[in-house]
């Protein structure tokens, strides 16, 4: 890009009526033009993540009109779809009554550009139908209890990641988690308490993911994490940190002394390996973690 474009592009973005924002690979907001700043609650000092921006916008009734009484669940669900494709576009209502067409473009290095245009003036024909379709699609991808990706969605994401990694000969690690003695939690404290533990674990699991990682609930008390482009030492560190985090998790607010643990199995994708094969090996590692006393990670080469 020549020098003139370097100057002109930011100036145009600054004066544009389009809502323009950039997030870095850690999902920290790094740029927002005045039109974007007018709509969302933003801080541009490098300290605001996407989820913090959504949360603060929600609590100050700005940004996207979010109809939920549980914003954390809403964010968890939205985050499970965020940045998983090089490009996506969707409609959103704003709290100020406008209606926008939001696009997200993700670069290979993880930076994301968000551009939204005001489409309030467009005909409303079919809008409800489109919204119902989007809602149905989201529901089909989301685990109802925990709001993270369900088995089908996470399998699609990992399948895609496997293809990408094979093409680029990059590394990909897959970790399986199974909460320990979870039946005892249900039996001792009730099914509702068990549900709270599953939700709490999901939050911790999601909190340890970068945007190009992905996690989901496979079913019951079994979860999966997909970590692209890390060395095995780094992947082990991520999982060990999560296990340690979980050991201190006060998942049941009414029982501050309650603690739970999880076992984990970690493997690295081999050349030519399929989703089923890599999950099989991770399951084998997980089985060993259970056999060797639970509350631990087993990594298998
Ligand atoms: N509360 C709640 N419990 C669930 C859910 N899905 C599965 N479970 C329970 O999870 C428990 C799983 O128990 P087991 O497979 O015997 O395993 P475990 O007790 O965790 O023992 P280990 O895995 O060997 O450490 C069962 O009691 C299921 O009923 C759910 O959505 N909510």
């Amino acid at each position: 890009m020549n020098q003139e474009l370097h100057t002109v592009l930011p100036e145009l973005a600054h004066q544009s009526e389009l809502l323009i924002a950039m997030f870095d690979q850690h999902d920290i907001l790094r740029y927002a033009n005045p039109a974007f700043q007018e709509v969302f609650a933003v801080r541009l000092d490098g300290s605001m993540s996407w989820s913090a921006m959504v949360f603060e916008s929600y609590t100050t009734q700005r940004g996207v009109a979010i109809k939920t009484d549980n914003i954390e669940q809403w964010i968890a669900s939205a985050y499970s779809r965020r940045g998983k494709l090089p490009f996506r576009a969707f409609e959103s209502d704003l709290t100020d009554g406008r209606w926008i067409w939001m696009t997200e473009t993700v670069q290979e290095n993880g930076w994301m550009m968000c551009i939204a245009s005001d489409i309030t003036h467009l005909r409303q024909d079919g809008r409800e139908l489109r919204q119902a379709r989007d809602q149905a699609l989201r529901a089909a991808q989301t685990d109802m209890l925990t709001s993270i990706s369900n088995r089908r969605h996470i399998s699609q994401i990992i399948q895609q990641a496997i293809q990408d990694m094979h093409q680029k000969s990059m590394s990909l690690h897959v970790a399986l988690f199974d909460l320990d003695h979870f039946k005892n939690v249900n039996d001792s404290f009730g099914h509702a308490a068990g549900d709270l533990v599953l939700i709490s674990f999901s939050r911790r699991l999601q909190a340890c993911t970068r945007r190009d990682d992905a996690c989901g609930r496979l079913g019951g008390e079994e979860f999966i994490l997909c970590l692209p482009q890390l060395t095995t030492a780094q992947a082990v560190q991520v999982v060990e940190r999560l296990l340690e985090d979980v050991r201190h998790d006060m998942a049941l607010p009414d029982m501050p002394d309650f603690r739970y643990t999880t076992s984990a199995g970690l493997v690295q994708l081999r050349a030519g390996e399929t989703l089923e094969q890599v999950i099989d090996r991770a399951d084998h590692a997980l089985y060993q973690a259970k056999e060797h006393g639970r509350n631990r990670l087993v990594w298998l080469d």
Side-chain angles (χ1 to χ4, degrees), residues 146-208:
T146 63
S147 300
I148 64 174
S149 292
N150 61 18
R151 185 183 199 104
R152 185 209 317 225
H153 189 222
I154 190 66
S155 301
Q156 285 168 349
I157 293 174
I158 299 181
Q159 188 82 57
Q160 186 59 52
I162 288 177
Q163 254 178 36
D164 291 351
M165 295 303 125
H166 281 330
Q167 272 167 14
K168 297 175 196 158
S169 302
M170 285 176 172
S171 83
L172 186 117
H173 288 81
V174 171
L176 281 187
F177 300 87
D178 187 290
L179 304 194
D180 295 327
H181 300 304
F182 191 65
K183 189 171 177 306
N184 291 348
V185 178
N186 278 334
D187 292 348
S188 312
F189 308 109
H191 205 268
D195 284 355
L196 282 182
V197 174
L198 292 170
I199 293 170
S200 191
F201 176 76
S202 305
R203 295 290 166 275
R204 308 235 155 207
L205 176 64
Q206 201 174 43
C208 82

